[in-house]
């Protein structure tokens, strides 16, 4: 590792650093499984300003009133610390269970696992069968010049009233936002110099308004054939 990476490692939170060994799923731009690489390898920026493309997911959880659960990432996070984002964002692992391709079952298992880990949502409150896989987006964004994101991001919806107990090492704030107040929420963050993650920004600007307006008929927006390339 170069000096910049060594210096960055010295400042990493112990719990977050331990997660860097997790095996992520490398894919090509058509989302074909190419094997595995560690979370560290996937998120380190290379000399040409790129990083390895790998699978991820973004969960959007709504309560029975149609309010979206968002959270602010803890300051311990390696990429985009202190940023607001959607309910849960992480990666399926390169394991037999979480690489199951059919209807993205492996990704939905991973989403269930991380909802429990990050938000304390018990597995029975967010089963894979309840998690709706909508579509995928492909995006890339540097974080701090050393770490960054380059992900094939599966969009997962769930509408259900759940009990949460956030993991403070992952999350520093949670809140439910009404659809009609969402733009004001984003404006308030901007006015207070509180950033949002790049994937959340892309989805909020381009896809979320239509999906949210049609939350009660969300299945009609399932698109498992096409990938939204937002590079």
């Amino acid at each position: 590792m170069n000096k910049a990476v060594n210096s960055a490692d010295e400042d990493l939170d112990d719990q977050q650093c331990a997660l860097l060994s997790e095996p992520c799923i490398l894919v090509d731009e058509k989302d074909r499984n190419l094997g595995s690489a560690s979370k560290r390898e996937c998120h380190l920026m290379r000399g040409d300003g790129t990083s390895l493309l790998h699978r991820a997911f973004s969960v959007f959880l709504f309560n029975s009133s149609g309010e979206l659960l968002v959270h602010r990432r803890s300051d311990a996070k390696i990429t985009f610390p202190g940023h607001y984002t959607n309910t849960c964002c992480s990666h399926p692992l390169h394991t037999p269970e979480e690489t199951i391709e059919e209807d993205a079952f492996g990704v939905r298992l991973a989403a269930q696992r991380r909802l429990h880990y990050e938000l304390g949502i018990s597995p029975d409150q967010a089963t894979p069968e309840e998690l709706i896989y909508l579509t995928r987006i492909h995006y890339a964004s540097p974080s701090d010049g050393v770490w960054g994101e380059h992900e094939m991001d599966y969009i997962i919806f769930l509408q259900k009233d759940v009990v949460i107990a956030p993991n403070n090492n992952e999350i520093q704030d949670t809140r439910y936002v009404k659809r009609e107040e969402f733009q004001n929420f984003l404006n308030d963050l901007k006015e207070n110099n509180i950033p949002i993650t790049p994937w959340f920004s892309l989805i909020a600007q381009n896809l979320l308004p239509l999906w949210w307006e049609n939350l009660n008929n969300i299945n009609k927006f399932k698109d498992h054939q096409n990938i939204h390339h937002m590079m």
Side-chain angles (χ1 to χ4, degrees):
M1 289 186 291
N2 60 36
K3 290 182 179 179
V5 174
N6 279 322
S7 176
D9 277 11
E10 292 174 2
D11 297 328
L12 295 182
D13 173 85
D14 289 344
Q15 291 184 54
Q16 294 295 323
C17 191
L19 298 174
L20 288 175
S21 63
E22 291 183 332
C24 293
I25 304 168
L26 295 178
V27 295
D28 62 16
E29 293 192 1
K30 294 185 178 179
D31 194 28
R32 292 178 292 210
N33 187 336
L34 300 178
S36 68
S38 70
K39 183 179 177 182
R40 173 190 294 277
E41 294 171 301
C42 288
H43 288 279
L44 279 174
M45 301 297 291
R46 298 180 290 191
D48 61 358
T50 66
S51 53
L52 297 174
L53 177 59
H54 57 283
R55 268 187 203 153
F57 60 82
S58 289
V59 177
F60 291 77
L61 186 153
F62 304 83
N63 63 19
S64 58
S65 298
E67 298 169 327
L68 173 63
L69 179 62
V70 299
H71 80 264
R72 188 175 185 183
R73 292 159 70 87
S74 80
D75 291 331
K77 297 291 286 184
I78 294 170
T79 58
F80 304 100
H83 287 52
Y84 261 96
T85 195
N86 49 283
T87 310
C88 180
C89 332
S90 191
H91 315 90
L93 302 182
H94 200 281
T95 63
E97 296 80 14
E98 294 188 7
T99 51
I100 296 173
E101 301 279 351
E102 186 176 357
D103 200 24
F105 188 74
V107 176
R108 289 185 286 128
L109 278 175
Q112 179 191 43
R113 171 176 57 82
R114 288 296 297 193
L115 284 167
H116 186 214
Y117 179 76
E118 293 186 17
L119 285 155
I121 298 172
S122 61
D124 64 298
Q125 292 187 89
T127 66
E129 292 73 21
E130 294 174 300
L131 296 166
I132 299 171
Y133 159 44
L134 281 188
T135 189
R136 292 163 289 177
I137 70 167
H138 173 205
Y139 78 95
S141 182
S143 177
D144 61 3
V146 176
W147 306 96
E149 305 277 3
H150 186 196
E151 297 185 330
M152 186 67 66
D153 193 15
Y154 283 64
I155 308 302
I156 308 291
F157 268 41
L158 173 64
Q159 184 171 15
K160 190 173 184 180
D161 293 325
V162 298
V163 177
I164 66 172
N167 177 344
N168 292 334
N169 188 253
E170 294 284 330
I171 293 170
Q172 61 177 290
D173 181 47
T174 61
R175 65 181 70 182
Y176 280 97
V177 182
K178 298 179 184 293
R179 181 169 65 88
E180 58 272 21
E181 297 174 358
F182 185 62
Q183 190 56 55
N184 288 336
F185 164 72
L186 296 178
N187 292 341
D188 288 344
L189 292 182
K190 185 175 182 179
E191 288 176 8
N192 288 284
N193 295 313
I194 300 174
I196 66 174
T197 58
W199 61 89
F200 187 40
S201 178
L202 286 169
I203 296 167
Q205 292 175 30
N206 297 286
L207 298 166
L208 184 59
L210 182 62
W211 290 340
W212 202 343
E213 186 178 359
N214 292 274
L215 187 58
N216 292 331
N217 195 19
I218 196 63
N219 284 316
K220 74 177 183 180
F221 294 99
K222 283 185 178 179
D223 181 359
H224 298 175
Q225 301 302 314
N226 298 303
I227 296 169
H228 301 270
H229 294 283
M230 297 180 172
M231 302 294 290

